C-alpha cells in the first residue's frame, strides 16, 4: 500500500477486532483466500500487505463493499447464506468467516460450503458460553447484552449464537478436523493452549478455529 | 453540397458527411484486411473512426479502450462535431479524472454499424456508390469487438490495460474479456448484461417498428430518396429514453408539472413537462443519429448472448481468465437490473476470476453511469488505481 506521500505503509487492523490479528497469524503467506463477511476489507488489506495473499471478499453491506472496492480490493456484494453456492469446489486455499457465523440463517450449511470452497476454513465466533453471559442470564433471567454483543434480542443480527463447545460439536457432525483452535479472553489475550474445553468455554470470550475437510 | 441558411439542414448534412469522412481519426482497411462478420459476410473495404486522448507510453502498456453505448460515439472526452456538446463521459475520462488521460492512452472508436465514421448503413457502399442502407450486413457485438481489435493492432498496441464501458459498451467489454482475454488486463463492465433480456428486445423492437412505420423511411433507402424518417426515429428515441430513467427520477424532475401553461390545454399539445422533455429528446436525437444505424445497433444488442456462445454456461466464457473485473450496477436501473450484473459476477466467480462488484445506490436509472455519481467515480478510481499498481503503471 502506498499513502499520499508514496511511502509504503502497512495497514493496521482495528484494535476492537483482536480476532482479525489472530486470523492473520493463522494464515500462511501467499495463499488464495476468500473473506466471507469482509466488512470494509481491513483484514484483506492487512493480509495482502503482510502475507501477500491473493484475496477476495464477500460483504453483505453496500457500504462495506464500496469501501473495499474503492481500496482496490476484489470484493463483491453477497450473502454468506446464498452466494457461496456459486463458487466452485476447492476454489480457495483458505476461507475466512470472522464473527459472522452467528448472523447466518443456516450456520451448518454455511460451514459446509466454506469447506467445499476452501481447503481450510478459519472461523472466529463470539462464545455464548462465556461466564459473563451465563452470569447475566442466571442473575437477571434476560437475554445478555455485553460490550461485544451490544444488541437487544429484538434487533440483533445475531440469530444463531453458539458456545465454543457447540461449535466443536458441529465441526464433528460435519466431519471436519479442527486443525487449530485459539480462545481469547475478555482482554483479547490467548488462553492457555493446554486448558480443557470447559475452561475455554467458560473463560473464552471469542474463539478462532482452523477447520479442514477430512480426507 | 451548397451552404444553406437552414441550421437543421446544415446539421443533417454535417452528420451525413461524418459517416464517410469523420472529423475524428479514422483507420481504413482495404480488401487485404477484411472483417469477417458473424453473419458470414466478409466486409471490405471498411473503416473505423476513433479518437485518442493522452499518450501511449514507451512500453505500450497504458492503453485504455472505452466502448460506447447504443447512441454514443468516439467523442468520449471531446466536443461532438455535430451537436457541439461536450464528450459523453467527460466526468470519467480526462486529465485528473478516474480514467486519467495524463496517465493513460485512451482510445474510443465508433461502433461497427454506427454513423459517425465507422462503416455502417449510412456509409457509402463502394459497390454502388450509394449509402448501404439495408444492404449493410447485420452486425453483432462480437463483430464490433473484432473491428476494435483490428484498430488496436493498427495502433501497435499489444494489449489493453483497461477496457471500460456502460450498457452496450459493457457488452463489448464482456466480449473483449471473453474473446480476447489475454489482451485485457482489467475490465470494467457497467450497467450491463451478458445477454439482452426479452424485455429489452421488446423495447428495441418498438423503436425499430417506429422507424420503419415512418413513410419517410422508404424501406431503408431514405438517403438516396432524399427523405428522413425523423418522426419515427424521434418516437423510437422517446420510448427508449424512458427506459434510461426511473419512475422516481421522472417524478422528482417533472412530476405532473405543466409546460408553459397554468391549466390543462384540453388538447394534444405537450401540456406536461415530461412530454415536452421527451419531444425535445426525440427531435434533438434525429439531428445527430442515422435511423438505419439505430436499427442495426439495437439488433446487435438483441443478438448478444455470451453464454449461448459457450454451451449455455456463462462461466465458460471466462475460463482461465487472468483479467481483473469490476462489475457495477445501479439500484434504480430497470433496463439492466442488478440481477444481470450478479449473473456476470457469479459466472466470473465460478471461473475463479478476480472480480469486484458494487451496486451503487442511485435513483436516476440506467443513465446513472453517464451522470455525476460520486460513489461510482470513487469506486472506478479505486479499482483503476489498484489495477495500475498491479501492472506497474
Amino acid at each position: 500500500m502506498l499513502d499520499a506521500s508514496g511511502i509504503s505503509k502497512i495497514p493496521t487492523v482495528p484494535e476492537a477486532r483482536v480476532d482479525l490479528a489472530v486470523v492473520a497469524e493463522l494464515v500462511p503467506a501467499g495463499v488464495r483466500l476468500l473473506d466471507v463477511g469482509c466488512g470494509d476489507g481491513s483484514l484483506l488489506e492487512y493480509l495482502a500487505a503482510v502475507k501477500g495473499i491473493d484475496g477476495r471478499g464477500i460483504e453483505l453491506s453496500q457500504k462495506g463493499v464500496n469501501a473495499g472496492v474503492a481500496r482496490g480490493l476484489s470484493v463483491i456484494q453477497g450473502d454468506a447464506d446464498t452466494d457461496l453456492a456459486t463458487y466452485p469446489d476447492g476454489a480457495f486455499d483458505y476461507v475466512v468467516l470472522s464473527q459472522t457465523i452467528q448472523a447466518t440463517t443456516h450456520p451448518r450449511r454455511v460451514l459446509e460450503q466454506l469447506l467445499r470452497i476452501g481447503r481450510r476454513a478459519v472461523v472466529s465466533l463470539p462464545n455464548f458460553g462465556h461466564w459473563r453471559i451465563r452470569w447475566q442470564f442466571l442473575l437477571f433471567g434476560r437475554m445478555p447484552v455485553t460490550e461485544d454483543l451490544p444488541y437487544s434480542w429484538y434487533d440483533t443480527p445475531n440469530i444463531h449464537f453458539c458456545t465454543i463447545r457447540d461449535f466443536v460439536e458441529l465441526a464433528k457432525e460435519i466431519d471436519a478436523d479442527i486443525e487449530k483452535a485459539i480462545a481469547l479472553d475478555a482482554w483479547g489475550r490467548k488462553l492457555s493452549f493446554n486448558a480443557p474445553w470447559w475452561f475455554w468455554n467458560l473463560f473464552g470470550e471469542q474463539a478462532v478455529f482452523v477447520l479442514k475437510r477430512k480426507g | 453540397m451548397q451552404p444553406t441558411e437552414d441550421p437543421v439542414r446544415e446539421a443533417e448534412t454535417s452528420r451525413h458527411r461524418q459517416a464517410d469522412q469523420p472529423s475524428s481519426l479514422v483507420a481504413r482497411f482495404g480488401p487485404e484486411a477484411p472483417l469477417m462478420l458473424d453473419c458470414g459476410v466478409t466486409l471490405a473495404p471498411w473503416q473505423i473512426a476513433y479518437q485518442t486522448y493522452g499518450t501511449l507510453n514507451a512500453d505500450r502498456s497504458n492503453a485504455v479502450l472505452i466502448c460506447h453505448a447504443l447512441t454514443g460515439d468516439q467523442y468520449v472526452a471531446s466536443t461532438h462535431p455535430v451537436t457541439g456538446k461536450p464528450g459523453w463521459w467527460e466526468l470519467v475520462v480526462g486529465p485528473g479524472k478516474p480514467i486519467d488521460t495524463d496517465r493513460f492512452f485512451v482510445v474510443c472508436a465508433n461502433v461497427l454499424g454506427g454513423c459517425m465514421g465507422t462503416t455502417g448503413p449510412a456509409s457509402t457502399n463502394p459497390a454502388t456508390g450509394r449509402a448501404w442502407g439495408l444492404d449493410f450486413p447485420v452486425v453483432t457485438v462480437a463483430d464490433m469487438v473484432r473491428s476494435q481489435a483490428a484498430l488496436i493492432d493498427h495502433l501497435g498496441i499489444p494489449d489493453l490495460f483497461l477496457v471500460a464501458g456502460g450498457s452496450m459498451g459493457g457488452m463489448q467489454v464482456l466480449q473483449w474479456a471473453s474473446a480476447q482475454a489475454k489482451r485485457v488486463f482489467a475490465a470494467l463492465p457497467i450497467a450491463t448484461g451478458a445477454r439482452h433480456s426479452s424485455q429489452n428486445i421488446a423495447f428495441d423492437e418498438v423503436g425499430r417498428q417506429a422507424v420503419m412505420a415512418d413513410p419517410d423511411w422508404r424501406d431503408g433507402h431514405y438517403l438516396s430518396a432524399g427523405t428522413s424518417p425523423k418522426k419515427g426515429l424521434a418516437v423510437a428515441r422517446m420510448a427508449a429514453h424512458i427506459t434510461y430513467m426511473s419512475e422516481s427520477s421522472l417524478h422528482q424532475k417533472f412530476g405532473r408539472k405543466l409546460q408553459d401553461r397554468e391549466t390543462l390545454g384540453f388538447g394534444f399539445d405537450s401540456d406536461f413537462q415530461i412530454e415536452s422533455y421527451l419531444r425535445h429528446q426525440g427531435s434533438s436525437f434525429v439531428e445527430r443519429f442515422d435511423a438505419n444505424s439505430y436499427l442495426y445497433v439495437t439488433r446487435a444488442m438483441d443478438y448478444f448472448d455470451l453464454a449461448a456462445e459457450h454451451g449455455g454456461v456463462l462461466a465458460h466464457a471466462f475460463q482461465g481468465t487472468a483479467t481483473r473485473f469490476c462489475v457495477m450496477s445501479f439500484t434504480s436501473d430497470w433496463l439492466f437490473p442488478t440481477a444481470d450484473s450478479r449473473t456476470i459476477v457469479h459466472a466470473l466467480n465460478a471461473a475463479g476470476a478476480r472480480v469486484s462488484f458494487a451496486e451503487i445506490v442511485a435513483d436516476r436509472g440506467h443513465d446513472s453511469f453517464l451522470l455525476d455519481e460520486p460513489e461510482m467515480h470513487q469506486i472506478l478510481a479505486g479499482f483503476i488505481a489498484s489495477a495500475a499498481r498491479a501492472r506497474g503503471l
Side-chain angles (χ1 to χ4, degrees):
Chain A
M1 296 298 126
L2 297 177
D3 65 12
S5 60
I7 297 166
S8 185
K9 69 170 192 203
I10 293 170
T12 51
V13 269
E15 270 178 41
R17 296 290 306 275
V18 283
D19 60 306
L20 297 186
V22 174
V23 171
E25 274 177 44
L26 294 170
V27 172
V31 295
R32 219 173 123 78
L33 178 144
L34 175 69
D35 185 1
V36 181
C38 65
D40 64 3
S42 308
L43 178 68
L44 282 173
E45 195 172 48
Y46 181 74
L47 291 176
V50 177
K51 293 283 183 87
I53 60 141
D54 177 10
R56 312 288 155 82
I58 301 184
E59 169 59 27
L60 189 56
S61 88
Q62 196 52 61
K63 212 176 146 204
V65 174
N66 295 2
V69 179
R71 283 161 108 148
L73 303 167
S74 296
V75 177
I76 67 165
Q77 200 203 10
D79 187 332
D81 275 308
T82 53
D83 290 314
L84 294 178
T86 64
Y87 290 86
D89 294 356
F92 295 92
D93 300 316
Y94 277 75
V95 181
V96 174
L97 185 74
S98 48
Q99 305 283 321
T100 302
I101 195 159
Q102 77 282 357
T104 61
T105 312
H106 302 289
R108 180 186 169 134
R109 216 181 287 164
V110 168
L111 207 55
E112 286 169 341
Q113 287 286 1
L114 298 185
L115 288 167
R116 180 187 65 80
I117 299 171
R119 288 196 289 116
R120 287 185 174 77
V122 179
V123 181
S124 78
L125 51 105
N127 175 26
F128 214 63
H130 188 260
W131 68 268
R132 277 205 284 208
I133 288 176
R134 299 193 200 191
W135 177 247
Q136 276 200 25
F137 197 73
L138 192 68
L139 201 65
F140 306 110
R142 298 191 56 185
M143 287 304 281
V145 175
T146 68
E147 211 172 289
D148 284 342
L149 304 169
Y151 304 98
S152 295
W153 65 273
Y154 49 82
D155 66 0
T156 180
N158 302 321
I159 53 176
H160 279 124
F161 273 123
C162 67
T163 69
I164 289 177
R165 293 193 76 154
D166 287 331
F167 187 81
V168 170
E169 280 307 306
L170 178 60
K172 261 188 216 158
E173 258 179 62
I174 65 165
D175 214 20
D177 274 335
I178 297 178
E179 235 184 22
K180 278 179 203 158
I182 293 170
L184 303 172
D185 68 13
W187 295 275
R189 295 177 309 207
K190 286 181 200 173
L191 295 182
S192 160
F193 182 73
N194 296 319
W197 282 120
W198 70 262
F199 184 83
W200 280 29
N201 205 28
L202 198 56
F203 295 104
E205 195 155 65
Q206 43 185 321
V208 185
F209 292 88
V210 180
L211 304 180
K212 194 176 174 234
R213 250 176 299 164
K214 277 212 175 109
Chain B
M1 196 67 69
Q2 289 297 308
T4 149
E5 295 291 308
D6 179 358
V8 173
R9 183 80 207 142
E10 214 166 285
E12 202 164 273
T13 310
S14 145
R15 174 166 64 72
H16 290 164
R17 239 194 331 263
Q18 294 293 332
D20 286 325
Q21 303 288 340
S23 311
S24 67
L25 299 166
V26 59
R28 293 190 167 87
F29 297 89
E32 74 292 349
L35 199 58
M36 315 294 253
L37 304 177
D38 278 341
C39 66
V41 170
T42 303
L43 188 64
W46 65 283
Q47 65 181 45
I48 183 164
Y50 65 101
Q51 281 288 56
T52 70
Y53 309 86
T55 314
L56 188 63
N57 63 13
D59 294 343
R60 295 178 297 167
S61 62
N62 68 336
V64 173
L65 178 71
I66 310 274
C67 303
H68 70 73
L70 168 59
T71 66
D73 47 48
Q74 65 270 43
Y75 303 99
V76 58
S78 49
T79 308
H80 195 280
V82 177
T83 64
K85 287 187 177 159
W88 56 269
W89 220 15
E90 289 199 358
L91 289 167
V92 168
V93 182
K97 297 286 164 62
I99 297 177
D100 191 344
T101 51
D102 288 338
R103 295 181 68 194
F104 306 121
F105 178 61
V106 175
V107 181
C108 184
N110 187 213
V111 294
L112 195 67
C115 54
M116 290 303 289
T118 297
T119 306
S123 311
T124 303
N125 179 350
T128 63
R130 294 157 76 164
W132 276 95
L134 294 198
D135 293 335
F136 191 70
V138 167
V139 295
T140 64
V141 169
D143 294 331
M144 293 172 180
V145 167
R146 279 184 198 110
S147 72
Q148 291 158 359
L151 171 64
I152 295 306
D153 289 340
H154 170 81
L155 294 174
I157 297 169
D159 58 347
L160 295 160
F161 162 60
L162 173 71
V163 184
S167 197
M168 188 184 80
M171 291 176 166
Q172 294 161 63
V173 174
L174 295 174
Q175 181 66 35
W176 261 100
S178 172
Q180 309 264 345
K182 290 202 164 62
R183 299 185 80 182
V184 182
F185 187 79
L188 195 46
I190 307 173
T192 193
R195 64 176 187 191
H196 224 25
S197 70
S198 184
Q199 177 174 268
N200 290 357
I201 296 170
F203 278 116
D204 282 351
E205 177 60 1
V206 169
R208 285 190 295 265
Q209 288 300 326
V211 168
M212 294 191 267
D214 188 327
D216 283 341
W217 181 60
R218 306 280 173 105
D219 291 325
H221 297 297
Y222 51 88
L223 288 175
S224 350
T227 60
S228 175
K230 287 181 178 174
K231 286 183 174 160
L233 184 59
V235 170
R237 175 63 168 179
M238 287 167 77
H241 198 79
I242 300 168
T243 69
Y244 306 152
M245 300 184 290
S246 72
E247 200 274 337
S248 105
S249 66
L250 283 179
H251 178 75
Q252 279 169 31
K253 200 166 175 182
F254 307 107
R256 291 183 52 84
K257 282 181 277 197
L258 301 180
Q259 179 72 29
D260 301 328
R261 63 175 73 225
E262 299 296 318
T263 55
L264 296 176
F266 292 95
F268 297 100
D269 283 346
S270 50
D271 279 8
F272 295 100
Q273 282 185 6
I274 177 62
E275 294 174 303
S276 164
Y277 171 77
L278 281 182
R279 287 184 189 193
H280 170 74
Q281 287 297 329
S283 62
S284 56
F285 179 63
V286 301
E287 305 307 336
R288 70 172 178 91
F289 211 85
D290 177 66
N292 284 338
S293 262
Y294 196 82
L295 306 184
Y296 278 86
V297 180
T298 54
R299 205 63 178 145
M301 291 178 86
D302 292 352
Y303 279 9
F304 188 63
D305 184 353
L306 195 50
E309 291 170 36
H310 294 85
V313 182
L314 187 56
H316 291 172
F318 305 112
Q319 216 62 59
T321 183
T323 304
R324 297 155 174 264
F325 291 83
C326 181
V327 179
M328 260 192 258
S329 69
F330 299 91
T331 48
S332 56
D333 184 350
W334 54 279
L335 194 63
F336 289 95
T338 292
D340 286 2
S341 286
R342 278 196 191 284
T343 303
I344 298 167
V345 171
H346 289 160
L348 288 168
N349 275 338
R354 187 188 290 270
V355 55
S356 288
F357 164 58
E359 182 189 33
I360 314 289
V361 178
D363 72 350
R364 289 183 286 185
H366 181 60
D367 264 354
S368 296
F369 81 93
L370 296 168
L371 304 173
D372 186 18
E373 292 290 346
E375 202 168 15
M376 171 184 81
H377 297 164
Q378 199 189 332
I379 290 170
L380 273 175
F383 173 71
I384 292 167
S386 82
R389 270 201 302 275
R391 192 160 159 105
L393 289 175

